[in-house]
């Protein structure tokens, strides 16, 4: 009857089974299972939906970070927030890994190996046609072969090259490069052997290392023992030292580069008396000479132009001096308009200094608006004094 539950109804058939022998399950059990399983399924679907965009975002930001550091040709793959970095042969895998690891949201980054020329697209495996004959000799990825050891060294009187190459043309190229770098009266000690079976150092990178050695002061050397490339000696600057490290990494991909090249510490140039007294002279000059403006404008008063000329003369007496040009206003206007007005006043004075021969790189501008009155704004004289530009050392 209506209004009664299943348990209260009389049923001539036993509760355990129907006439067909099938067991009757209570609906409550089905709902209980559904309540437990459906949230799990929904969580799985949502996780799958979110993971794709998250990995794409991390991949795009990682590539942008690598490109901003001048690192190209790197492949970055993500599993969740864990990155795998695949670099082209000869690239600095450690640097690429560190750049990706520093991207916000990346949990971990590892190097997944090296690949060929970054300018060429990665080769994709072509699936075998199910109806065609099986390939009797499937291609397996080549094993990584260690580069043969090499040694380069120079003294004031000689240049030495010891390496293994694959052919005569490469040997001739390296010898020609070395001979072109010899100083007058210096000799070339060449011990280059040919062995087509070995993995030789990158010949272009080897030539680059020879050029670095030719610029070194005194004795210098590059030695690779099969595991580590060690660079020793003294070079002129940090740029040459960095170029040597890149060539070493390219010559022996995967090797540890121990860059022990030294760069001389240059003594700072002596400070002239004009520069020693620049700050005190500028303070005195600004105390005696004001730079004022017409109300509500960035037009300098005519008498203020003489003050700017004197500041330019002072700046020319010390080429290393830098100054801050700060713009100010009175409080008659709204702060929202006073701030940009003070910036325009500072820009006007900077432009005049540049016109008078001072480099713009030595001048920074600041906008202070109404925030730093020189005198109270309660009088006309005070407001006139506050419509100004001040110049000081930063």
């Amino acid at each position: 009857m209506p209004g009664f539950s299943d348990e209260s109804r009389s049923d001539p058939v036993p509760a355990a089974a129907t006439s067909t022998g099938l067991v009757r399950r209570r609906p409550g059990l089905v709902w209980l299972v559904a309540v437990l399983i459906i949230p799990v399924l929904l969580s799985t679907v949502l996780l799958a939906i979110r993971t794709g965009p998250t990995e794409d975002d991390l991949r795009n930001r990682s590539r942008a970070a690598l490109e901003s550091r001048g690192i190209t040709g790197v492949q970055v793959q993500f599993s969740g927030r864990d990155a795998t970095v695949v670099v082209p042969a000869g690239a600095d895998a450690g640097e690429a890994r560190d750049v990706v690891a520093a991207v916000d949201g990346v949990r971990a980054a590892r190097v997944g190996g090296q690949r060929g020329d970054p300018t060429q697209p990665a080769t994709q495996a072509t699936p075998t046609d199910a109806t065609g004959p099986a390939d009797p000799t499937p291609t397996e990825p080549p094993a990584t072969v260690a580069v043969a050891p090499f040694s380069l060294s120079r003294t004031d009187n000689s240049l030495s090259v010891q390496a293994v190459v694959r052919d005569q043309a490469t040997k001739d190229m390296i010898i020609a490069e070395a001979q072109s770098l010899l100083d007058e009266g210096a000799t070339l000690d060449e011990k280059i052997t040919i062995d087509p079976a070995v993995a030789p150092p990158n010949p272009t990178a080897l030539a680059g290392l020879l050029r670095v050695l030719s610029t070194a002061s005194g004795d210098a050397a590059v030695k690779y023992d099969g595991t580590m490339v060690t660079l020793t000696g003294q070079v002129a600057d940090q740029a040459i030292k960095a170029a040597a490290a890149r060539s070493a990494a390219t010559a022996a991909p995967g090797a540890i580069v121990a860059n022990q090249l030294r760069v001389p510490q240059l003594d700072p140039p002596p400070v002239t008396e004009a520069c020693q007294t620049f700050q005190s002279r500028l303070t005195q000059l600004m105390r005696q000479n004001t730079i004022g403006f017409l109300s509500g404008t960035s037009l300098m008063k005519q008498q203020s132009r003489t003050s700017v000329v004197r500041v330019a003369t002072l700046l020319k007496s010390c080429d290393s001096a830098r100054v801050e040009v700060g713009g100010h206003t009175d409080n008659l206007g709204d702060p929202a308009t006073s701030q940009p007005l003070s910036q325009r006043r500072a820009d006007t004075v900077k432009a005049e200094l540049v016109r008078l021969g001072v480099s713009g790189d030595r001048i920074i501008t600041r906008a202070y608006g109404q925030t730093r009155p020189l005198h109270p704004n309660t009088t006309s004289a005070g407001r006139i004094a506050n419509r100004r530009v001040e110049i000081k050392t930063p």
Side-chain angles (χ1 to χ4, degrees):
M1 293 178 64
F4 291 89
S5 65
D6 288 341
E7 288 80 6
S8 63
R9 295 171 57 186
S10 60
D11 194 341
V13 181
T18 65
S19 60
T20 61
L22 298 176
V23 177
R24 175 179 293 173
R25 293 181 174 86
R26 295 181 178 180
L29 180 60
V30 175
W31 285 108
L32 178 61
V33 173
V35 167
L36 294 175
I37 293 178
I38 289 175
V40 175
L41 294 175
L42 288 175
S43 299
T44 303
V45 172
L46 289 174
L47 180 62
I49 293 174
R50 292 175 59 190
T51 300
T54 299
E55 292 179 351
D56 290 342
D57 177 62
L58 290 174
R59 184 182 303 110
N60 292 336
R61 290 195 289 114
S62 297
R63 288 173 178 169
L66 288 165
E67 291 174 0
S68 70
R69 296 285 294 273
I71 304 173
T72 58
V74 177
Q75 292 182 349
V76 185
Q77 300 296 331
F78 277 91
S79 175
R81 293 191 295 116
D82 297 336
T84 300
V85 180
V86 180
V87 301
D92 190 337
E95 181 182 6
R97 178 199 60 211
D98 294 342
V99 170
V100 173
V103 172
D104 185 30
V106 176
R107 179 169 55 192
R110 69 180 186 89
V111 177
Q114 294 182 321
R115 59 189 178 85
D117 184 357
T119 64
Q120 300 298 325
T123 302
Q124 301 293 330
T126 304
T128 303
D129 187 349
T131 61
D135 186 357
T137 57
T139 303
E140 296 182 358
T144 302
V145 180
V147 172
F150 62 86
S151 174
L152 312 174
S153 62
R154 64 94 59 194
T155 67
D156 291 335
N157 301 317
S158 66
L159 185 62
S160 173
V161 182
Q162 183 174 346
V164 181
V165 297
R166 282 183 173 169
D167 52 54
Q168 185 65 43
T170 302
K171 177 178 179 178
D172 293 342
M173 184 273 287
I174 295 174
I175 292 175
E177 181 70 28
Q179 288 176 335
S180 70
L181 299 171
L182 288 176
D183 293 332
E184 185 177 355
T187 60
L188 174 63
D189 181 13
E190 171 265 310
K191 297 179 181 177
I192 302 176
T193 58
I194 299 174
D195 187 346
V198 304
N202 182 296
T204 303
L206 212 61
L209 289 171
L210 285 170
R211 288 191 290 272
V212 169
L213 290 181
S214 69
T215 66
S217 301
D219 296 350
V222 178
K223 295 182 179 180
Y224 174 56
D225 60 6
T227 303
M228 178 182 296
V229 185
T230 304
L231 301 93
T232 57
Q234 179 171 298
V235 292
D237 53 44
Q238 289 290 345
I240 296 177
K241 180 177 179 179
R246 290 193 295 269
S247 293
T250 305
I256 299 170
V257 177
N259 193 350
Q260 299 174 10
L261 290 172
R262 303 183 308 278
V263 176
Q265 298 296 322
L266 301 178
D267 294 331
V271 180
T272 64
E273 182 179 355
C275 290
Q276 290 176 351
T277 61
F278 177 83
Q279 184 171 353
S280 61
R281 289 187 294 137
L282 176 62
T283 302
Q284 182 178 2
L285 177 63
M286 294 309 300
R287 189 182 298 120
Q288 298 172 348
N289 298 267
T290 60
I291 303 176
F293 292 81
L294 300 179
S295 179
T297 74
S298 58
L299 298 174
M300 267 191 298
K301 294 181 177 180
Q302 190 60 39
Q303 61 268 32
S304 295
R305 296 185 179 278
T306 303
S307 301
V308 178
V309 172
R310 290 171 179 166
V311 173
T313 302
L314 181 62
L315 280 165
K316 292 177 183 178
S317 71
C318 177
D319 293 337
S320 62
R322 301 175 70 248
V323 293
E324 175 195 295
V325 176
H328 302 264
T329 69
D330 57 28
N331 69 343
L332 291 181
D334 186 274
T337 58
S338 295
Q339 192 73 14
L341 175 58
S342 65
Q343 181 64 56
R344 290 196 298 274
R345 287 174 174 172
D347 292 341
T348 296
V349 173
K350 177 179 179 178
E352 183 65 11
L353 288 171
V354 171
R355 189 187 70 80
L356 292 169
V358 179
S359 171
D361 294 338
R362 300 171 58 193
I363 306 168
I364 59 174
T365 58
R366 293 279 189 273
Y368 293 103
Q370 306 176 9
T371 61
R372 298 185 181 184
L374 189 63
H375 297 285
N377 282 298
T378 53
T379 66
S380 176
R383 291 190 293 273
I384 290 174
N386 290 333
R387 298 193 289 265
R388 72 197 191 280
V389 155
E390 291 184 353
I391 301 178
K392 61 183 181 180
T393 54

